[in-house]
Amino acid sequence: MNSILLILILFIPAFASGIAVFFVQKKGTNFLKLILSFSGAYLFSITVLHLIPHVYQSTNTSPEVLGIYVLAGFLFQLFLEQFSQGIEHGHIHSEHGHHSHSFPIGIMFSLCLHAFLEGMPLAATHQTELALGISIHHIPAAFALGSILISTQLKKNTIIITLALFAAMTPFGFLLSKAISAGEVGDIQQYFDKIMAVVIGIFLHISTTILFESGSIDHHKFNKKKMIAVIAGVAIALASFAFVDEHGHDHSHGEHNHQEHHDHDHHDHNH
């Protein structure tokens, strides 16, 4: 995928959904909840279908060590949520109590760190699936962040700049990782599998939390819609998995045949 297109896919949905808090009534967020359910299902599915199999095919690190990094990512996300209050999976807590008039530094820092880490593996592989997963799950996260910011006494311009900063963190993680992997800063190729394992742990935590907590909604009609959204997320992930798997299999099979043919010709030439 083209780098500019990738950056736009990562930046625009997050920034637009954050800005949407200025125009959308808080009570009319059922559609956002459906997006949240869809993103949880899609994120979980691409993690299981694409990311985990890929990272465990790596020859650089043993499976046991990769498992430790996955667990570390899961626990790290659990730690981050002590500061972010669960905004990564669309939680809006400003309605529960006091309205702070100060800038939510802890929330912003943990969200930006989380978004930055998600962008780093994009320089390696599975750009399309991973970018879509990140982009979709940042929609409710950015909306929740915007809701927190708008409940403070911050100026509108400050809120917009803050949302733009959050939306830019994943592209920044991607660009920095790409620059390092290209040898412009240093050699990060050997660490891509470990970084991906950490992101897998983060994704597993976020996606399962979304799926479990979205089932606590009382309205039965909305639960039906939520189930449709979940099935749609899984279906799209499965469709992309089937397409990529078939394309990759054919491509690798062709390369294998070409190599065999080349070796056979070389052997005949020697004779």
Side-chain angles (χ1 to χ4, degrees):
M1 181 184 290
N2 181 275
S3 294
I4 296 177
L5 178 61
L6 184 67
I7 291 170
L8 292 175
I9 289 174
L10 293 170
F11 180 84
I12 292 176
F15 183 65
S17 59
I19 296 299
V21 296
F22 293 112
F23 312 103
V24 177
Q25 295 293 326
K26 288 186 177 180
K27 293 181 180 179
T29 56
N30 275 0
F31 179 72
L32 191 70
K33 292 177 182 178
L34 291 176
I35 291 291
L36 189 62
S37 297
F38 174 86
S39 70
Y42 182 80
L43 205 59
F44 182 78
S45 298
I46 65 167
T47 301
V48 172
L49 296 173
H50 293 283
L51 306 184
I52 292 177
H54 172 77
V55 78
Y56 273 95
Q57 288 174 357
S58 172
T59 57
N60 298 330
T61 310
S62 67
E64 293 79 10
V65 173
L66 287 175
I68 293 174
Y69 279 93
V70 172
L71 182 60
F74 190 94
L75 295 175
F76 180 66
Q77 179 59 35
L78 190 64
F79 172 76
L80 281 183
E81 288 194 4
Q82 305 306 309
F83 303 96
S84 67
Q85 302 178 22
I87 287 181
E88 296 93 330
H89 41 84
H91 271 188
I92 303 174
H93 293 278
S94 61
E95 63 188 21
H96 290 171
H98 63 283
H99 291 258
S100 174
H101 291 186
S102 60
F103 186 83
I105 297 176
I107 291 176
M108 191 62 191
F109 175 78
S110 59
L111 277 179
C112 287
L113 180 59
H114 162 91
F116 176 80
L117 287 174
E118 285 182 331
M120 295 194 74
L122 286 168
T125 186
H126 286 297
Q127 286 187 336
T128 303
E129 299 85 5
L130 190 55
L132 287 175
I134 294 171
S135 180
I136 292 170
H137 108 79
H138 276 182
I139 291 175
F143 188 87
L145 176 61
S147 299
I148 294 290
L149 293 172
I150 207 171
S151 67
T152 68
Q153 293 294 320
L154 294 173
K155 296 180 180 179
K156 185 175 181 179
N157 288 342
T158 303
I159 294 174
I160 292 174
I161 292 172
T162 303
L163 290 169
L165 177 63
F166 167 68
M169 288 309 296
T170 300
F172 179 65
F174 161 66
L175 290 173
L176 180 63
S177 181
K178 184 178 180 182
I180 294 174
S181 65
E184 297 173 17
V185 183
D187 183 17
I188 200 176
Q189 292 281 2
Q190 57 183 323
Y191 301 113
F192 268 139
D193 54 348
K194 298 180 181 69
I195 296 172
M196 179 66 85
V198 171
V199 171
I200 285 172
I202 291 173
F203 279 5
L204 286 175
H205 184 285
I206 293 173
S207 60
T208 52
T209 302
I210 289 173
L211 292 173
F212 287 139
E213 292 189 351
S214 63
S216 62
I217 299 168
D218 294 330
H219 304 292
H220 187 65
K221 183 178 180 181
F222 183 73
N223 271 336
K224 289 180 181 178
K225 293 180 180 178
K226 185 220 39 168
M227 187 56 63
I228 293 173
V230 168
I231 292 173
V234 173
I236 291 176
L238 281 170
S240 65
F241 169 74
F243 173 78
V244 172
D245 184 62
E246 181 182 353
H247 179 75
H249 176 76
D250 291 343
H251 182 68
S252 61
H253 183 69
E255 286 183 346
H256 180 70
N257 287 341
H258 176 75
Q259 182 65 36
E260 281 187 348
H261 181 70
H262 177 76
D263 292 343
H264 181 71
D265 289 346
H266 182 68
H267 180 72
D268 291 343
H269 178 71
N270 290 338
H271 277 292

